[in-house]
């Protein structure tokens, strides 16, 4: 039943070129964080058709409904005819049996509609509820400003969530910035309009919105249409076949509808404001950037950046110089980005403020090899090239090197980053079976892009785009160069100077000079210049429109000399391509929470206990320390251990509450703490590992070293178990 | 010449209560980052008087000017009388001599005016110019969006600046969060209006502004007045004594002037718009928060937070619960904050977006002892209590424990944080002789504050407040509790239950019940209730204004029962006090840059080379690697060393350019890199220490371990020098 997957789609932004196409597309592609494809485009094809079991069930249901109606008439007629009671009773019994059968079929159909092929959506929601409940209760995160009723789409990370986030970012820095010697920068969030005008965000970073015509309440147009179709399909079992096909078609092409088409569908279906049932306005674009004003005059518009990348592009020249005028090099930035969502949903996945980590790897477009490509060439993981998507297939385990050699991945540098992203995510604890790299379809990609892949992670919301890895060619540098008038180029000294032909326009008059001088390319291209030359030679004069004068002037052959001259060029000047891996940190963290979460029965078997199986690398607290019973001696030992842990730089938590040791283990498991230290004597302690629940005895002086070795990865728990005696768990285990 | 110090003051915000006093003051005190006191308030007293040498010089100058005028008349008369040439020549010669003398006195006066007692301001500016030039050229930071002309008050940290910032923040986390087991949180920058209404920012976070009445250009009112007075005093040597006193008085009390007084002075002096000379509007308050709109309706106002602290206060209940409902505990947050400055000046010190690191330490107001107080009690550093400031003295080296025992510092917890801040700043590399802790004067502090100290660092701009450490009592929690209606309290189980008297108002009628029920305290306080009771008992009825009805009703004794009952209370409920150390990270980093910078002559003696003597802890790059000459063998060795450094987690930089080794050392010194590795053989290399320029020989396999030991502080350079042979510097040194 894959066709229902789009009901859980997180798509918010059209992923295909809109009617106002070419300007929109580049932008879309840049705004990688906007894309979430929970399912692939290949599902659009199947979406138009019903799954066999659904079709059969709907058909059976219609037949059964007819039988019920017929039998109800039989009963009514018998009663009208005052038939014998036994006869009536038998007919009623038959009617009830038919109704029961109908209900049973409805339930089966409901189940089919709720499942999406990879699991039952009700289970998914129950699972999500359990995870989110634990996360909020233990203050991994919570809705912000809750004492004031909160603000949709804003979240606070509490102590454990904030620690997980710090750990993820620290590992990102180590894995990318340090390992690759990237140039990290840190630019402001407040951004003047001109920068985001050049990038396209001011004009095109929009979602379509409708307003309640009476109250002014705003809604995402595509959300309303989607919810309407979804509800009809899920709840109305008497829908005629052609209606079912229509709703499914709308869901399939939702992202591709124009403003007008979306408005027409809303009108056609008679969709009204959900809260008031009032009529709705036509859809219109709403810019998703938070707007503000820089300085006191109110005349200088600014925005909170919707991504961090622009801060790198506008600094290209300085970074290139910092790197000794050498390519390739990568710049990186971690920072806040902002999107004023119309109606945020789905917790941490769609928020109004979030942390991005972005890399811009600048490379010579004529050589996209990567010197460390060999380190990733043999990695194997789920890849989902566009051809497979178009053919309606699934993602397949693929050797990265093969994808490159077959031309599926465009170039080595792009492949290198795909491999590095794979290593990054799986080392954090993302399940490699629920991680795939999906290539953008041709119509998702901007015209200038060489190739784009998304790292998608499967969670209870479906497949979520968490990292976008795009070869954006020279688009961004060109856009800023054009808008600012500042060249953003690289140059390469040629081994041998080469001869080139160069257009030379030498004006003979001052007023022409002003137009032509130093700006020959802008004034005329080569073709135009040669045409002018021909006209001047044949007719002796030509009409020419001078932009700066705003009028046409008559140019005579005596006024200008046009020629093509041969010149020697000693260096090659070019605009670098950029390959951009862009990480939505909050999304990665949320998926990590889901992938790390499991439950297990308590010892008494009377409740399910929650555990986060975080690797030590990301665990918010590396170990907890608790005295077995409340007494001064044990508390002193706990304090002594705490000091040695602090000395070793290990973030830990002391729990001196008097609750049972089992409860305290349960608490610490719920925070994903890898090791728990129970102080049960004044010379040695018990160390318990979270997932195996196995315990060892370790002398007090050695505790910090053992914890450090395990949590920093120098030793495994198994290594340690061989060096220290096991501890019987009966006394203290849960 | 301390009286001129305020010319270099960074004060922007009134440091004394304004006429609309009590509401403003609390806010002021909260907005710690707003305060910069480059000199102390005691200078206000001396400011009114002239320094002796200035007075003498101004007097001599006036006399000399008179002599010049007289002599000029003599010359004119002689010429008019057609006197002998020799006589005229002699008079002209005398006139010229007088003019020379006058110029000399003017120069002396200028020098006196430009100095500020602690050094010559011209030298300060030259020094600053050298530092900032190096910082911008090496891309520690640069003005943001410079290809578009830039935006005042916004800066980009480039690779070395960004690394220094990361290092400072990592050390902050280690020194405070880890060491003290603080609860770190991470809240959004986008903040709804209600939160900042409660904190006072919406109403009072303002600067006074004037507008050019013709062009609409905006200026900070106090800046214009300050610049005018400063220019008059510095440039106009013919000012009468009373005018001089007037301008100096204005400078001294600038921060205390009301809107009306500021406007009156601008009018009195005839100050016009600096760019156009147009007339100016009256001053009016401009709110310094960046305003935006949350969500699509445009009806929900939001602001970019001006500080991170509010995110902690609104989460108090969750944090308290997370901490097992125990006090004391501290929460911490690192994040961006925003101020829409009217006209930013002074580089990184006054910017429109900046990183704050804030701690809110919640403590029982009845017990402000600190269990780790003993760790800081013997620290000695420059302290500047308010009494010393009032007496016109200087900051004095003081033992922290003495300041507490003498009652100068209010409590142990406050002192503990002062001590920890001192350790933090000096370990970063801040010169302890140019760091002082200045206590707020009584009129700088909010009425509720117990005590406030600023860590001030001296740099070329004067004394700059970089950390504010305030005991803010229960103000913030109370403000949010009152606004949100949610109790933000702590509770302590009493050993023995205690008996208390409680007002009980039991309404007998429903309409009264609505007013009284569950809201007795708001309806009436105890005194009012007992008065009502007395009136009811004597007269049988009473008039009572019911707010919800908006009118007075007659209450009869039968309608209500009022009594004081004795109840047993088992726990004490109270609002915790908060002690808040708040760090302006950009300011600390800028001061660190200045304190770390020095120059030394090149070997040839023909130029001055720049060095940043960063401790390894903050150095942006820990070591550089360069092959002595360009060949494949050395480059391979460099690559091999680079890999082992990466493996050890050491951020480094390879320089394979062919420039001279001296030039490459100079480059690396300018980035503050502690160690440079020169590859000059294929078995061992030369390691050079930045400040001593001493060199040792180390085998290739040991390089990473040596660099790690020195840069992570396990060994000193001196230790290492004893273990490895020294290297003669003649071959490769600059």
């Amino acid at each position: 039943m894959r066709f229902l997957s789009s009901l859980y789609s997180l798509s918010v932004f059209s992923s295909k070129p809109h009617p106002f196409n070419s300007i929109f597309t580049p932008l879309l592609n840049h705004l990688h964080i906007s894309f979430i494809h929970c399912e692939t485009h290949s599902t659009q094809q199947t979406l138009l058709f019903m799954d066999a079991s659904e079709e059969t069930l709907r058909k059976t249901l219609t037949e059964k409904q007819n039988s019920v109606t017929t039998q109800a008439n039989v009963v009514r007629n018998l009663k009208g005819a005052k038939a014998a009671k036994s006869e009536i009773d038998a007919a009623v019994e038959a009617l009830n049996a038919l109704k029961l059968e109908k209900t049973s079929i409805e339930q089966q159909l409901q189940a089919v509609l709720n499942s999406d092929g990879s699991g039952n959506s009700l289970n998914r929601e129950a699972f999500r509820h359990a995870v989110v409940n634990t996360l909020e209760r233990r203050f991994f995160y919570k809705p912000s400003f809750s004492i004031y009723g909160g603000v949709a789409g804003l979240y606070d990370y509490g102590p454990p969530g904030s620690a997980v986030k710090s750990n993820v970012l620290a590992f990102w820095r180590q894995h990318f910035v340090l390992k690759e010697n990237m140039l990290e920068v840190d630019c402001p969030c407040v951004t003047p309009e001109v920068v985001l005008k050049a990038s396209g965000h001011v004009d095109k970073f929009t979602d379509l919105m409708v307003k309640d015509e009476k109250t002014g309440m705003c809604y995402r147009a595509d959300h309303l249409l989607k919810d309407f179709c979804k509800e009809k399909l899920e709840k109305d079992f008497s829908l005629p076949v052609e209606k079912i096909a229509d709703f499914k078609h709308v869901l399939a092409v939702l992202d591709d509808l124009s403003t007008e088409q979306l408005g027409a569908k809303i009108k056609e279906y008679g969709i009204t404001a959900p809260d008031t049932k009032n009529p709705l306005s036509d859809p219109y674009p709403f810019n998703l950037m938070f707007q503000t004003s820089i300085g006191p005059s109110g005349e200088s518009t600014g925005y909170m950046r919707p991504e961090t990348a622009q801060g790198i592009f506008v600094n290209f020249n300085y970074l290139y110089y910092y790197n000794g005028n050498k390519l390739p090099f990568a710049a990186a930035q971690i920072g806040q980005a902002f999107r004023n969502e119309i109606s945020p949903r789905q917790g941490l996945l769609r928020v109004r403020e979030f942390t991005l980590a972005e890399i811009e790897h600048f490379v010579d477009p004529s050589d996209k090899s990567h010197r460390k490509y060999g380190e990733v060439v043999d990695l194997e993981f789920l890849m989902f090239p566009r051809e497979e998507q178009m053919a309606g297939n699934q993602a397949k385990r693929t050797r990265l090197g093969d994808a490159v050699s077959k031309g599926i991945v465009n170039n080595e540098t792009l492949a290198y980053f795909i491999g590095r992203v794979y290593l990054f995510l799986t080392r954090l604890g993302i399940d490699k079976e629920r991680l795939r790299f999906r290539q953008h379809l041709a119509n998702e990609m901007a015209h200038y892009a060489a190739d784009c892949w998304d790292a998608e992670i499967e969670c209870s919301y479906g497949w979520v785009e968490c990292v976008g890895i795009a070869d954006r060619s020279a688009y961004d540098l060109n856009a800023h160069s054009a808008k600012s008038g500042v060249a953003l180029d690289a140059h390469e000294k040629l081994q041998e100077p080469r001869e080139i032909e160069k257009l030379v326009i030498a004006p003979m008059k001052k007023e022409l000079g002003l137009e032509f001088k130093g700006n020959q390319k802008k004034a005329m291209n080569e073709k135009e210049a040669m045409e002018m030359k021909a006209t001047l030679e044949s007719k002796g004069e030509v009409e020419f429109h001078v932009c700066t004068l705003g009028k046409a002037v008559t140019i005579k052959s005596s006024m200008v000399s046009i020629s093509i001259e041969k010149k020697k060029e000693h260096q090659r000047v070019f605009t670098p391509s950029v390959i951009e891996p862009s990480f939505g940190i909050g999304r990665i963290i949320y998926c990590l929470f889901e992938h790390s979460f499991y439950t297990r029965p308590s010892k008494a078997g009377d409740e399910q206990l929650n555990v986060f199986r975080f690797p030590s690398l990301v665990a918010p607290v590396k170990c907890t320390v608790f005295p077995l019973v409340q007494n001064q001696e044990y508390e002193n030992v706990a304090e002594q251990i705490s000091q040695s842990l602090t000395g070793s730089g290990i973030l830990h938590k002391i729990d001196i509450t008097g609750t049972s040791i089992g409860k305290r283990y349960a608490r610490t498991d719920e925070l994903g703490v890898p090791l728990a230290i129970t102080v049960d004597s004044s010379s040695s302690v018990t160390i318990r590992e979270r997932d195996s629940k196995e315990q060892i005895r370790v002398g007090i002086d050695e505790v910090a070293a053992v914890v450090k070795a395990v949590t920093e990865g120098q030793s495994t728990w198994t290594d340690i178990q061989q060096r220290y005696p096991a501890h019987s768990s009966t006394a203290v285990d849960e």
Side-chain angles (χ1 to χ4, degrees), chain A:
Chain A
M1 292 297 292
R2 298 178 58 232
F3 65 84
L4 269 176
S5 59
S6 74
L7 300 186
Y8 309 104
S9 167
L10 298 182
S11 299
V12 273
F13 207 84
S14 171
S15 54
K16 276 194 184 169
H18 271 226
F20 43 94
N21 197 322
S22 60
I23 310 169
F24 197 67
T25 322
L27 178 76
L28 275 170
N29 204 44
H30 194 80
L31 307 172
H32 28 73
I33 48 133
S34 326
F35 297 161
I36 293 297
H37 302 281
C38 285
E39 264 304 334
T40 68
H41 277 248
S42 61
T43 55
Q44 295 191 1
Q45 292 151 8
T46 52
L47 256 168
L48 304 182
F49 308 101
M50 272 189 270
D51 179 274
S53 61
E54 183 195 351
E55 197 176 357
T56 312
L57 284 167
R58 285 208 187 256
K59 215 167 140 190
T60 317
L61 187 64
T62 309
E63 288 164 9
K64 199 60 69 182
Q65 179 60 51
N66 291 341
S67 307
V68 168
T69 311
T70 309
Q71 186 62 20
N73 284 335
V74 169
V75 171
R76 201 171 303 119
N77 291 339
L78 286 174
K79 283 181 177 171
K82 308 214 170 181
K85 185 175 179 294
S86 63
E87 205 178 347
I88 294 176
D89 285 351
V92 166
E93 199 172 322
L95 175 61
N96 286 343
L98 283 169
K99 282 183 177 169
L100 273 176
E101 285 171 38
K102 185 191 149 210
T103 305
S104 161
I105 298 164
E106 282 176 352
Q107 284 167 347
Q108 286 174 57
L109 180 56
Q110 192 71 63
V112 166
L113 293 174
N114 283 337
S115 80
D116 66 347
S118 67
N120 187 289
S121 80
L122 293 178
N123 286 349
R124 282 180 169 215
E125 275 174 30
F127 174 77
R128 185 195 308 148
H129 184 77
V131 179
V132 169
N133 182 281
T134 308
L135 290 168
E136 294 203 7
R137 190 164 38 77
R138 299 310 302 273
F139 205 2
F140 278 85
Y141 68 85
K142 276 183 189 290
S144 299
F145 313 114
S146 57
I147 64 169
Y148 291 104
V151 176
L154 295 179
Y155 291 88
D156 292 338
Y157 288 87
S162 169
V164 168
K165 188 176 164 187
S166 286
N167 294 338
V168 168
L169 292 176
F171 180 58
W172 192 88
R173 271 208 177 92
Q174 196 210 316
H175 187 79
F176 292 105
V177 179
L178 175 71
K179 181 82 195 279
E180 314 284 349
N181 255 309
M182 291 177 180
L183 309 184
E184 191 173 347
V185 300
D186 182 14
C187 308
C189 301
V190 175
T191 305
E193 184 162 41
V194 63
V195 173
L196 295 161
K197 191 90 186 165
S199 70
H201 287 82
V202 171
D203 294 325
K204 302 297 172 192
F205 186 53
T206 56
D207 273 346
L208 290 171
M209 180 162 90
V210 289
K211 265 196 183 174
D212 181 320
E213 286 195 341
K214 288 184 182 157
T215 67
M217 185 99 77
C218 303
Y219 302 94
R220 278 263 309 260
D222 59 342
H223 278 181
L224 290 190
L225 186 56
K226 185 165 85 174
D227 292 350
F228 179 85
C229 295
K230 188 179 153 183
E231 175 147 346
K232 280 285 178 191
L233 287 169
E234 286 183 353
K235 303 268 168 77
D236 186 351
F237 298 138
S238 62
L239 280 179
V241 173
E242 60 278 16
K243 270 282 162 200
I244 295 174
D246 181 35
F247 292 141
K248 290 191 172 178
H249 178 75
V250 167
L251 288 173
V253 300
L254 194 64
D255 291 345
D256 300 331
L257 295 179
S258 69
T259 314
E260 293 70 28
Q261 289 169 323
L262 205 53
K265 275 290 167 195
I266 288 174
K267 279 224 159 52
E268 180 192 332
Y269 295 158
I271 299 174
T272 53
D275 301 295
T276 62
K277 306 297 165 206
N278 289 333
L280 293 167
S281 73
D282 285 333
Y284 60 97
F286 171 73
N287 194 296
L288 295 176
M289 290 193 292
F290 283 100
Q291 188 175 334
T292 190
S293 187
I294 305 176
S297 72
E299 283 162 19
S300 177
T301 298
Y303 298 92
M304 303 312 298
R305 63 180 175 192
E307 57 176 24
T308 70
Q310 304 306 324
I312 296 177
F313 296 133
V314 299
N315 276 308
F316 172 78
N317 284 347
Y318 303 132
L319 292 165
Y320 182 56
Y321 176 76
Y322 187 84
N323 201 52
N325 293 332
K326 286 205 172 4
L327 284 184
F329 73 89
Q333 181 167 201
I334 296 172
Q336 294 301 90
F338 303 82
R339 286 167 57 112
N340 193 11
E341 294 285 350
I342 294 171
S343 52
R345 301 172 167 194
Q346 291 150 330
L348 286 191
L349 295 187
R350 183 151 312 278
V351 292
R352 284 177 165 152
E353 181 176 339
F354 46 93
T355 301
L356 281 183
E358 298 192 289
I359 295 165
E360 308 297 329
H361 180 91
F362 297 100
V363 61
D364 184 336
S366 68
D367 177 13
K368 293 182 181 175
S369 63
H370 196 287
R371 71 188 182 94
K372 294 197 199 165
Y373 173 60
E375 293 179 17
V376 299
V377 69
D378 288 323
L379 289 176
E380 281 189 26
F381 44 77
L382 292 176
M383 297 190 80
F384 204 6
R386 66 173 70 96
E387 282 69 25
E388 299 293 319
Q389 297 169 49
M390 297 301 289
N393 297 331
Q394 300 283 331
K396 279 198 195 96
R397 201 172 158 80
T398 310
R399 185 177 159 274
L400 187 54
D402 294 340
V404 174
S405 59
K406 287 178 190 160
I408 295 168
V409 173
N410 182 277
N411 59 69
E412 280 189 9
T413 300
L414 192 64
Y416 179 73
F417 280 110
I418 290 174
R420 293 291 294 164
V421 168
Y422 170 79
L423 293 174
F424 173 72
L425 293 173
T426 50
R427 281 178 194 165
L428 285 182
I430 293 296
D431 178 359
K432 62 183 195 303
E433 301 305 324
R434 300 174 70 194
L435 165 63
R436 71 181 185 193
F437 288 82
R438 191 185 69 78
Q439 189 175 32
H440 282 203
L441 295 178
N443 61 1
E444 284 178 82
M445 270 197 338
H447 63 93
Y448 55 77
D451 197 4
C452 300
W453 292 76
D454 289 341
E456 295 183 335
I457 304 176
E458 199 193 22
C459 74
S460 67
Y461 290 105
W463 286 97
V464 177
E465 183 207 333
C466 291
V467 187
I469 309 152
D471 182 334
R472 300 178 51 75
S473 77
Y475 179 76
D476 309 279
L477 292 181
N478 282 336
H480 284 296
S481 188
K483 186 85 183 173
S484 67
V486 174
L488 300 172
D489 291 331
H491 38 85
E492 182 196 27
K493 201 175 172 186
L494 295 170
Q495 300 285 347
E496 298 273 316
R498 62 181 175 192
E499 200 162 70
I500 53 151
E501 292 191 333
K502 205 171 172 179
L503 175 69
V504 177
I505 303 175
M508 309 295 178
K509 282 220 165 191
K510 205 184 166 195
E511 63 270 33
L512 288 177
L514 290 173
E515 172 61 11
F516 289 125
K517 201 175 178 189
N519 203 9
Q520 297 173 354
K521 278 189 189 167
K522 281 193 188 166
M524 271 187 286
N525 62 29
E526 188 173 319
K527 185 160 165 272
E528 289 165 345
M530 295 321 288
E531 282 170 8
M532 183 186 278
K533 184 180 165 77
T535 312
L536 284 173
E537 281 168 4
S538 60
K539 301 191 179 164
E541 64 175 49
V542 67
E543 288 288 293
F544 180 66
H545 183 82
V546 180
C547 300
T548 47
L549 299 177
K551 60 175 186 179
V553 295
T554 303
I555 295 177
K556 299 193 175 160
S557 54
S558 60
M559 289 176 176
V560 65
S561 126
I562 297 172
S563 60
I564 299 268
E565 291 179 12
K566 292 193 174 183
K567 295 212 167 184
K568 282 212 170 173
E569 202 175 58
H570 296 266
Q571 62 174 7
R572 180 184 147 235
V573 177
F574 60 96
T575 309
S577 279
V578 65
I579 289 167
E580 176 190 79
S582 169
F583 299 70
I585 299 299
R587 289 185 169 186
I588 294 171
I589 289 174
Y590 179 76
C591 292
L592 185 60
F593 288 151
E594 280 205 7
H595 287 203
S596 304
F597 185 81
Y598 66 98
T599 58
R600 59 188 175 199
S602 65
K603 205 184 176 190
D606 54 349
E607 54 176 332
Q608 287 292 312
L609 301 175
N610 306 315
V611 190
F612 283 106
R613 66 164 82 78
F614 298 127
S616 296
L617 182 69
V618 294
V621 174
K622 306 308 177 194
C623 72
T624 37
V625 183
F626 27 70
L628 181 61
V629 291
Q630 280 184 309
N631 71 37
Q632 199 54 51
E633 185 192 359
Y634 286 3
E635 282 181 22
N636 291 348
V637 174
E639 179 58 31
Q640 187 187 334
I641 290 172
S642 167
Q643 281 174 19
S644 65
L645 289 170
T646 299
S648 302
I650 296 164
L651 194 65
H652 60 282
K653 202 171 189 288
I654 307 186
D655 182 349
I656 54 163
T657 56
T659 38
S660 79
I661 207 77
K663 281 230 173 76
R664 283 188 276 175
Y665 279 149
R667 264 190 214 155
T668 197
D669 291 344
E670 224 174 35
L671 284 179
V673 183
L675 299 174
I677 299 164
T678 302
V679 178
D680 45 11
S681 94
S682 55
S683 58
S684 66
V685 298
T686 300
I687 302 186
R688 168 198 183 259
E689 196 273 334
R690 176 191 62 209
D691 297 302
S692 65
K693 297 195 282 178
E694 287 166 344
Q695 305 182 342
I696 54 170
R697 299 287 306 170
V698 176
I700 285 165
D701 295 346
E702 296 171 85
V703 170
V706 167
V707 172
K708 194 177 169 72
V710 174
T711 58
E712 293 186 356
Q714 291 94 347
S715 305
T716 65
W717 174 249
T718 316
D719 297 339
I720 296 290
Q721 276 182 304
Q722 284 163 3
R723 284 174 28 214
Y724 294 92
H727 179 70
S728 143
S729 68
T730 49
V732 295
D733 197 13
E734 62 269 50

